[in-house]
Structure formats: structure tokens, C-alpha cells
Amino acid sequence: MDIAQIQAYGYFALTVFLVLALYGYIYHLYTKKKDVDGIDYESYSDMALKDDLDDAPVSPKSDDKLTP
Amino acid sequence: MENRPLEYDYTIAKMFMFTTIVLGIVGMLIGVILAFQLAFPGVNLFLGEGLAEYTNFSRLRPLHTDAVIFGFTLSGVFATWYYVGQRVLKVSMAESKLLMTLGKVHFWLYLVVVAAVVVSLFAGVTTSKEYAEFEWPIDIGVVVVWVIWGMGVFGLIGIRREKSLYISIWYYIATFLGIAMLYLFNNMEIPTILGTSAAGESGICAWYHSVSMYSGTNDALVQWWYGHNAVAFGFTVPIVAMIYYFLPKESGQAIYSYKLSLLSFWGLMFVYLWAGGHHLLYSTVPDWMQTMGSIFSVILILPSWGSAINMLLTMKGEWQQVAASPLIKFMILGSTFYMFSTLEGPIQAIKSVNAIAHFTDWIVGHVHDGVLGWVGFMIMAALYHMAPRVFKREIYSKSLMAAQFWIQTLGVVLYFTSMWIAGITQGMMWRAHDEFGNLAYSFIDTVTVLHPYYTIRGVGGLLYLVGFLMFAYNIYKTMSARPVEERELQNASPMGA
Ligand code: HEM
């Protein structure tokens, strides 16, 4: 096998690996709805939708600041 | 006054909205002049022979690029930051005297630097590095402005009520860090007054001149690492930050997939920094770097489309809003153009395609379908969304906005289609040869053939400028339109007929 052939096989293997890794990650994201801390990522969208100063934060930094 | 409820404070956002509009008009007007100069060389003398020095193409071109990039776009980034930042962190600028002061200093120093840039570039003082033309005293000013902005960004994050950072904040942080790193490294330069020539003379040239610390191939590499990532962190990352906030907010729809937005963010961060080599294909930089530039450019399609598709899918089930609201039209067309130019770019980065495309008008066409269709549309949409909220008045005219949308869309289409045809024609003609290898055409042959397309581009650009003036007028009139109630501002922006 010459170098060009090795390169070609290597390239092919790398491509397959990257495709699997990417789709694996995407699959992971969608099957595990919540992350390790039990947080549903999709609820973070509310940070933009409910962004008035008196809306409740999605995950408050500390309780005392909530009552101005 | 005592019990007045706390409100978001948009003072600084308003100031930057103003510079976005003014510098947009200036930059695009110069763009239109340039376009007609290319089509009709006589326009180089439009203020007469005496002032030709200031009106010729080469003097005006860097003024165009710097005005639209560092003037229009960057002001838009700052304006939206001072609006979005407070809202998604749920903290008002009014809560911190320090942050307000920093914001004001940020704005006024920025204006000083802009003025210095305009004067020096008109005077022909330049380092001759594309998008990094400013001489060292101005560079220092730029760094100061940037650091102050950064202090404001991290200061606001520091006093936030919302624990997690919304995806847009990540993109703004990336903008700050990315540009800081790029700008510093590419602008490493030594003032000539500090140098001594081989013959022993010192104090060479005027005090403000400098020479780059890089030369030759190294200079090219650093320059395009900078140049391409200026596109990344100036034209892509902060604009994605905007659309992730303004589209969901205006449409009242949650982002289609928040997780996909995270995936795309990290994808973009990892891949973009390696793609700059595609500007140097077939040059003296090492071959492996060129190949790497090509490959990473192609991979860039994934994170780019990840964001763009996420935006389009956010409208799932709500497409009637696109038909009903010109404001949403701007954003949807913006993300469509984003998809389009992030497909076009990777294609141009493939070596065999680049052999035809490089140095031709196709590149200019590519730049402008991105900046006019994506950056320009998104910034205008953001300002349209902000205007009713910062002025507490409805947008002056919906029909004017709709008319503007169609005029500008036509302008963009004329711009990029003419440049495609011109560019590919040019590329093919430069390469054409007979059986003995003699070139088939001389340069002037291409100039003759391209003339009509240059004229079409000029007309397209003029339409875009006209649309931008309509935008400016609409925002101006909004300041005196019908006042609106708080509840009218929940999602869709209120608009007058
Ligand atoms: C009214 C709209 C505009 C017109 C008519 C226009 C026209 C032009 C022209 C004629 C050039 C020089 C092309 C050449 O040297 O062959 C140019 C370059 C450039 N313009 Fe614009 N422009 C417009 C808006 C914008 C905007 C809004 C942006 C960015 C936000 C922008 C970014 C650039 C950049 C980055 C280049 C340099 C491209 C390169 O070196 O390949 N332009 N423009």
C-alpha cells in the first residue's frame, strides 16, 4: 500500500468517525431531554420570551434579588 | 419618584442606534459611489480635478469597508447589546452607576475614534492592511474602546438575576473575545519614529506611521487569519446573537431547538478559526495550510446551517406571520441569505473553484449577498423591533417598511446576480488560452465585457441605499408616532399603517 492509499483509507475512516460522532451527539441531545443537573435545555428559550424586568427568571441567581 | 418601578434603561442603546443609522448611510453612500466609479470612471472626478485625491476609488474604498464594518455593523452590535443584554440577564443598566458611566464613555470614545478614522483615511493615512488600515494611535484608541465595552459586558453579567446565560449572550461574549484577539495580533506594528534604517537614519516618516511586525508570507497568513475571522466575529457571530433574540421575541415562538443552538455555537467556534487559509489558495503559504483552509471552510456549512435552520424552524406552524409582518420578513430573508452565503463561501473555498473565483467580482458578489442580505437586513430588523420599545411608540409606517423590504430585496438580487455573471465571465476569460498557451484575451477585453454588469450592480446598490434611507426616515418618524401601552409590546411590534 502506498502513502496515497493509506491517506485515502484514513480520510474515509475519519469522515465516517466524524459523521458518527456528530449524529451520536445529536441523538444524545434529543433523547436525554434533561442534562445531568436535571435542567431541560429547551426551557432556556423563555429567557428571551419572558424578559420583562418583573418576569420570574428561568433559574434565579439568588432569591433575595427577586424582591426589589 | 421614590416608588417608581425599576425599568430597563435604553440610553446607551439609543445612542448607538443613532450611529448605526448615520454611519450606515455614509458607508452605503460611499459604496454606491464606488460602484458607479467602477462602471463609469468619470465619476472618480465627481467633485472636479482639484479634489480628485479625495474622491478617487482607491481613497474611498477603505472608507466604505471601514464605515460599514466598524461603523454601521459594530454600532448595530453595540446598540443591540445594550438592549438585549439587559433584558435576557434581567437587570437594568439603571441599577449600576458604574455601568452607565462606562456605557457613556464607551459611546463617546467610540465617536472620537470614528472621527479619527474618517479624517485619517480621507487624508490617505493608512497602514495598507485590508480592514486594518488604522495607524497605531488609532489602534490604541480602538483597544481602549473595546476594553471598556468588555468591562460593560462582564459587569452586566456580574450583576444579573438570571443565572444561566441565554444563547445570544454567548455569541456576544464570543464577539468580544474573538475581535480582541484578532485585532491585537494583526495590528502588531512598530512606529517608524522608533526605528533606525540600515543607513543609520532615525525618526523616519511622520510620527503616526508604523510598519507591521510581520512581513511576506507571514504577514499574509496573519492578515487573512484576521480578515476572515473579522467576517466570523463581526458579521456572523454577533448577528446570530441578534437573530436568536429578536426572531423568537418578535414572533412569540420559542427557539425551535435550544440544544441545536448550543451545538452550532461550539461548532462555529471550533471551525471558523481555521478557515482563513482559503483566502490564500495558490499563494506562497504552505500547501497543507491551504488544504486545511479549504476543508474547514466546507465543514463550516454544518454549524452555519445549524443556526439558520434553527431560525427557519422557529417559525414552524407560524408561517402566516412571515406574510403578515414585514419585520419578520426581514429576519427570515436574513437567515435565508445566511444559509445561502454560507453555502456559497465553502464552494468558493474549494481549490478548483477558487482558481476561477479568486480576484474576480464573484468574491465581491459573495461578500455582498452576505452583508446586504444577512447583516444589513438583520440589523435593520433589530432596530425596528427595538424602536417601539425604546421610544414607547409604534413604528411609524408598516407599508413603508414593506415597500423598503421589496426595494432592498430587489437591490440585493441585482447586486449578487450581476457580480456572479461578471465574476465567472472574468475568471473564464483570464484563463482562456489557445492551443499554444497564448492568452486569448487581454485585460481590457474583460473590462469591456463587464461594463453592463457593473452598471446593474450600481443600480442594485442604489436601490439598497434608497431602502436604507426609507428605514432611517421610518425610525425618525417613529419618535413622534402614536404612543403605545406596555402590553402592546409583548411580542409583535406595533406598527402604524
Ligand atoms: C449600498 C450598498 C453597497 C454598495 C453599493 C457597495 C459597493 C461596494 C463596492 C463597489 C465595493 C468594491 C468592490 C471592488 O473593489 O471591486 C465594495 C466592497 C466591499 N463592501 Fe460594499 N457596498 C454596499 C454595502 C456594504 C455593506 C452594508 C457592507 C458590510 C456590512 C459592505 C462590505 C463590503 C466589503 C467587506 C467589501 C470588500 C470586499 C472585498 O475586498 O472582496 N458593503 N462594496
Side-chain angles (χ1 to χ4, degrees):
Chain A
M1 233 175 6
D2 64 7
I3 181 78
Q5 255 178 323
I6 299 175
Q7 277 176 336
Y9 281 116
Y11 183 70
F12 183 74
L14 183 70
T15 310
V16 171
F17 169 75
L18 287 176
V19 168
L20 290 179
L22 179 72
Y23 282 92
Y25 181 50
I26 294 174
Y27 180 76
H28 161 80
L29 280 179
Y30 280 90
T31 48
K32 308 271 176 306
K33 201 165 152 41
K34 295 174 195 287
D35 70 3
V36 277
D37 304 324
I39 293 172
D40 178 3
Y41 276 117
E42 299 308 325
S43 69
Y44 287 153
S45 288
D46 281 343
M47 286 191 269
L49 294 179
K50 303 199 175 102
D51 64 346
D52 276 333
L53 209 44
D54 42 14
D55 285 335
V58 175
S59 52
K61 200 166 161 228
S62 67
D63 295 332
D64 50 26
K65 277 204 179 170
L66 265 182
T67 42
Chain B
M1 287 302 271
E2 280 292 280
N3 287 330
R4 207 178 55 179
L6 186 61
E7 280 189 16
Y8 290 123
D9 190 319
Y10 299 129
T11 317
I12 318 281
K14 279 186 220 166
M15 291 165 143
F16 277 110
M17 284 170 80
F18 175 74
T19 48
T20 310
I21 294 175
V22 172
L23 294 170
I25 295 175
V26 173
M28 292 179 207
L29 176 65
I30 300 181
V32 173
I33 296 174
L34 291 179
F36 282 105
Q37 287 178 337
L38 285 170
F40 307 99
V43 180
N44 277 282
L45 300 176
F46 72 97
L47 291 182
E49 295 272 355
L51 291 174
E53 181 194 342
Y54 303 103
T55 58
N56 65 34
F57 181 85
S58 46
R59 190 61 67 87
L60 289 182
R61 193 183 194 275
L63 271 160
H64 165 64
T65 52
D66 290 328
V68 288
I69 299 173
F70 300 111
F72 166 68
T73 307
L74 210 52
S75 287
V77 175
F78 293 149
T80 58
W81 160 258
Y82 283 109
Y83 178 88
V84 176
Q86 298 183 66
R87 297 194 65 106
V88 300
L89 296 170
K90 288 205 181 62
V91 54
S92 167
M93 296 271 291
E95 290 176 68
S96 162
K97 272 222 161 58
L98 174 69
L99 289 180
M100 272 312 279
T101 315
L102 278 178
K104 283 179 187 154
V105 174
H106 175 206
F107 176 78
W108 290 110
L109 268 186
Y110 170 79
L111 262 197
V112 171
V113 172
V114 167
V117 165
V118 172
V119 171
S120 67
L121 288 184
F122 260 121
V125 175
T126 162
T127 62
S128 310
K129 275 165 85 94
E130 200 171 8
Y131 319 128
E133 285 94 354
F134 320 143
E135 280 291 7
W136 68 268
I138 301 182
D139 282 338
I140 293 178
V142 171
V143 172
V144 173
V145 169
W146 204 253
V147 169
I148 293 178
W149 181 49
M151 286 159 68
V153 170
F154 291 107
L156 201 65
I157 292 176
I159 60 168
R160 70 193 189 276
R161 290 201 178 77
E162 182 70 78
K163 185 163 159 222
S164 311
L165 301 182
Y166 185 61
I167 183 70
S168 297
I169 302 287
W170 286 92
Y171 277 100
Y172 281 113
I173 295 176
T175 305
F176 171 76
L177 294 178
I179 303 270
M181 169 183 76
L182 296 161
Y183 200 86
L184 282 179
F185 277 102
N186 190 42
N187 285 290
M188 291 290 174
E189 59 212 352
I190 302 181
T192 43
I193 34 170
L194 299 179
T196 311
S197 76
E201 324 147 82
S202 54
I204 311 154
C205 299
W207 60 273
Y208 45 76
H209 277 306
S210 61
V211 281
S212 173
M213 284 191 14
Y214 316 104
S215 61
T217 300
N218 286 341
D219 187 33
L221 267 176
V222 179
Q223 166 64 26
W224 285 109
W225 171 75
Y226 166 81
H228 188 71
N229 288 302
V231 176
F233 291 94
F235 282 161
T236 306
V237 171
I239 314 297
V240 176
M242 290 177 203
I243 197 162
Y244 269 127
Y245 174 81
F246 290 106
L247 184 62
K249 189 69 189 167
E250 178 73 25
S251 65
Q253 294 281 98
I255 294 180
Y256 170 70
S257 162
Y258 197 84
K259 282 179 178 167
L260 180 57
S261 76
L262 300 175
L263 181 69
S264 312
F265 175 81
W266 290 111
L268 203 71
M269 293 304 124
F270 279 116
V271 179
Y272 232 132
L273 285 168
W274 305 98
H278 65 220
H279 287 265
L280 295 164
L281 298 182
Y282 301 108
S283 74
T284 52
V285 310
D287 212 41
W288 67 267
M289 278 190 173
Q290 302 183 23
T291 308
M292 183 183 72
S294 290
I295 292 177
F296 274 91
S297 304
V298 174
I299 301 178
L300 253 183
I301 297 178
L302 286 176
S304 310
W305 280 46
S307 300
I309 287 179
N310 211 357
M311 281 304 112
L312 295 181
L313 286 177
T314 295
M315 297 310 293
K316 205 170 81 172
E318 286 290 323
W319 286 97
Q320 81 282 359
Q321 288 198 30
V322 182
S325 162
L327 186 34
I328 294 202
K329 278 199 188 74
F330 272 108
M331 295 199 251
I332 291 302
L333 201 81
S335 46
T336 311
F337 266 107
Y338 179 48
M339 290 182 86
F340 181 50
S341 43
T342 51
L343 179 65
E344 186 185 17
I347 292 175
Q348 293 181 328
I350 296 168
K351 278 190 176 176
S352 48
V353 180
N354 196 264
I356 297 180
H358 201 48
F359 296 129
T360 71
D361 288 317
W362 188 9
I363 306 294
V364 179
H366 165 64
V367 170
H368 288 87
D369 53 54
V371 293
L372 301 179
W374 158 239
V375 180
F377 271 26
M378 193 53 228
I379 291 179
M380 289 186 294
L383 264 60
Y384 268 136
H385 175 94
M386 286 159 64
R389 288 151 181 97
V390 304
F391 300 123
K392 300 225 173 7
R393 286 167 189 281
E394 69 181 2
I395 294 173
Y396 169 65
S397 167
K398 179 179 178 180
S399 45
L400 189 62
M401 194 197 294
Q404 175 205 339
F405 173 82
W406 290 111
I407 291 177
Q408 288 193 312
T409 303
L410 178 64
V412 182
V413 171
L414 287 179
Y415 196 127
F416 76 78
T417 47
S418 61
M419 288 297 100
W420 276 3
I421 302 175
I424 294 172
T425 309
Q426 217 174 8
M428 301 297 265
M429 285 177 80
W430 285 345
R431 286 157 61 103
H433 55 78
D434 67 14
E435 53 190 319
F436 306 110
N438 300 311
L439 291 179
Y441 301 102
S442 66
F443 188 76
I444 192 67
D445 296 327
T446 61
V447 176
T448 317
V449 174
L450 298 183
H451 181 256
Y453 305 110
Y454 280 9
T455 312
I456 296 173
R457 185 257 304 269
V459 172
L462 186 62
L463 288 176
Y464 198 87
L465 176 67
V466 168
F468 196 81
L469 293 172
M470 293 164 77
F471 161 71
Y473 178 74
N474 214 347
I475 296 280
Y476 170 71
K477 293 294 273 186
T478 296
M479 297 196 292
S480 57
R482 178 184 70 84
V484 291
E485 308 286 329
E486 197 64 42
R487 60 177 166 71
E488 290 180 67
L489 297 172
Q490 271 311 317
N491 297 125
S493 304
M495 305 174 195

